[in-house]
Amino acid sequence: MKKGIKNSTNKRRHQFYIVEIICAILLLVTTNSFANTTSSIFDLMSHQEVLKVTMTGDFETLRTNRRSGEGQIITISFVDATGKEQTWNAEFTLRGNYRRMRCTAMPPMKLNFKKSELKAAGLAKFDDMKLVTQCMEEDEDSKALVLKEYLTYKLYNELTPASFRVQLLKITYIDTHTANKTKQWGFLIEDTAQLRSRIAAEKCERQRGFLAADFHSESFYTTALFQYMIGNGDWDAKISKNAKILSKEGKLLAIPYDFDFSGLVDASYAIPNGNYEMTSIQERIYMGFEQDLAHLDATLAYFKTKKKALKETVKAFKILRATERRAVLNYLISFFDASDEINYRAKKMWTAPTIDAQID
């Protein structure tokens, strides 16, 4: 079933709605946004587009014991903005579900630093970050996959500050078990606790059973329409699947993550969501609440004001090869070209949250 969104015939009213939604988005993220001004380990590593890092540890044991929750102490070295070499120890544990078991190269990991060491260095308490790795074997397609997912986070950053920040890495892995040295791409995802601090939000203890009325509407529309724009069929705010649910001023925010199953990223291993009878990863299905469709005019108008900036973000990302940038641009443009009609389809069955959705 397709639900059309009618364009407003009153230009001034349309502009008022755009201003209204921008103000609503800013209101959600500016209150106490700078309550914690101390730099974090993530901030320390985020001073240039690509940070070169060396990670030294027993990666072979991590890779061969994928079902184990046991971690390894890994040494991380990089040069900070002042030119000083930084060396830190962190516990690396495998995370996730799908990629954790299917990556033929380095599985996705979680980094956990010691709060005492962060404090001694004058850094904020935010001690863990997710590391998205170059999951498949070393080739251009594998590199493009991790770069496109990183770029997807940057596109969402362009739409709202209530989003996970990311830092692109060129990683040299030195395996102490095998003595092998490999170079791959990856990126870090901001600690959820730091995101909460930035936008003055709190943890939400509930994990499922959410209703439309539970959410800040304008913020939720932005999340759901973004997921529609990138063609992501692998999320569900109702059960906090690939969406971090936070609480702010008595309402909820759904902050999306994990975009590898989206049509924009187009991972070779991604499969269409059968719960929505999707036939292709490229297919767009609106997976918010059906009642949202009557209220998306302002959000859609806001997205249109950001169209140029979104396109420029893609064009400027020269690390991604030109053919892939063109494919990403074409997919974005196809959203705007057909934005007068949003494709909604009811979910056919209930699915429990994956392990991925439960990991902070």
Side-chain angles (χ1 to χ4, degrees), residues 135-294:
C135 179
M136 312 309 287
E137 297 300 337
E138 296 178 54
D139 59 24
E140 281 300 309
D141 290 338
S142 176
K143 171 185 173 182
L145 175 58
V146 71
L147 292 178
K148 284 190 290 184
E149 187 170 9
Y150 164 83
L151 178 59
T152 308
Y153 280 89
K154 299 298 286 185
L155 292 173
Y156 196 56
N157 293 159
E158 183 64 43
L159 291 170
T160 173
S163 54
F164 283 104
R165 294 182 297 158
V166 287
Q167 172 59 47
L168 188 59
L169 304 178
K170 188 64 184 292
I171 308 168
T172 298
Y173 295 104
I174 300 177
D175 196 321
T176 56
H177 188 95
T178 62
N180 289 337
K181 180 187 289 188
T182 57
K183 292 187 177 182
Q184 294 184 347
W185 290 87
F187 63 88
L188 292 171
I189 304 177
E190 178 182 29
D191 188 340
T192 303
Q194 186 167 11
L195 168 62
R196 290 198 304 266
S197 178
R198 268 199 304 113
I199 66 175
E202 299 174 347
K203 277 187 176 182
C204 177
E205 299 303 327
R206 291 171 57 196
Q207 290 294 313
R208 63 187 70 183
F210 301 114
L211 304 174
D214 295 327
F215 292 92
H216 284 278
S217 57
E218 292 83 0
S219 177
F220 184 81
Y221 300 156
T222 300
T223 296
L225 194 60
F226 174 77
Q227 298 278 35
Y228 182 81
M229 181 179 76
I230 67 170
N232 189 12
D234 190 35
W235 78 288
D236 192 337
K238 305 177 204 61
I239 56 174
S240 61
K241 179 181 181 183
N242 290 337
K244 185 59 62 179
I245 307 300
L246 306 180
S247 176
K248 184 177 175 71
E249 298 174 353
K251 291 285 188 176
L252 300 179
L253 307 175
I255 314 296
Y257 61 90
D258 276 8
F259 304 120
D260 57 319
F261 271 52
S262 68
L264 188 142
V265 174
D266 197 23
S268 59
Y269 55 78
I271 55 177
N273 190 335
N275 292 342
Y276 290 87
E277 298 182 338
M278 291 177 63
T279 59
S280 166
I281 288 297
Q282 299 288 314
E283 186 178 7
R284 289 187 173 98
I285 304 294
Y286 185 83
M287 293 171 58
F289 299 94
E290 184 174 8
Q291 56 263 47
D292 298 347
L293 301 176

